[in-house]
Amino acid sequence: MLFKKKGLFDEEDAMKVVEIASRENAGEIIVMCERITESARRRLWDYARGVQLMSDLTGDKREVRVEILEGYVSDRIRGVEL
């Protein structure tokens, strides 16, 4: 899933992304933003690590890949606007 945010991507935005991604069972989270805070970056990585740990405990083969594209937000690419 692709999430776009013009301006600063903060921890509140990261919590929205985690909520949407967990509801959709997304295997990939891509965040496109101009700037991102360290707490938001940590929240996304913690979610991905948590999913991996839970899948190890339950025996599932589930993984979430997180990619952060910082610096430019394209209007041509479709994604969830935050």
Side-chain angles (χ1 to χ4, degrees), residues 33-46:
C33 61
E34 291 177 2
R35 290 178 295 138
I36 187 169
T37 63
E38 283 301 315
S39 60
R41 188 183 306 263
R42 196 171 329 111
R43 172 85 55 179
L44 294 172
W45 294 121
D46 287 347

Side-chain angles (χ1 to χ4, degrees), residues 9-43:
F9 187 90
D10 58 3
E11 191 171 358
E12 184 178 316
D13 296 321
M15 289 172 42
K16 289 179 191 175
V17 167
V18 165
E19 182 181 324
I20 293 169
S22 64
R23 194 175 338 125
E24 300 287 326
N25 285 332
E28 180 178 60
I29 297 173
I30 303 170
V31 174
M32 183 182 286
C33 61
E34 291 177 2
R35 290 178 295 138
I36 187 169
T37 63
E38 283 301 315
S39 60
R41 188 183 306 263
R42 196 171 329 111
R43 172 85 55 179

Side-chain angles (χ1 to χ4, degrees), residues 36-65:
I36 187 169
T37 63
E38 283 301 315
S39 60
R41 188 183 306 263
R42 196 171 329 111
R43 172 85 55 179
L44 294 172
W45 294 121
D46 287 347
Y47 171 71
R49 184 70 177 140
V51 167
Q52 184 180 10
L53 289 173
M54 286 302 293
S55 70
D56 288 345
L57 289 174
T58 60
D60 295 338
K61 298 287 184 194
R62 183 156 183 262
E63 180 178 331
V64 176
R65 198 182 104 201

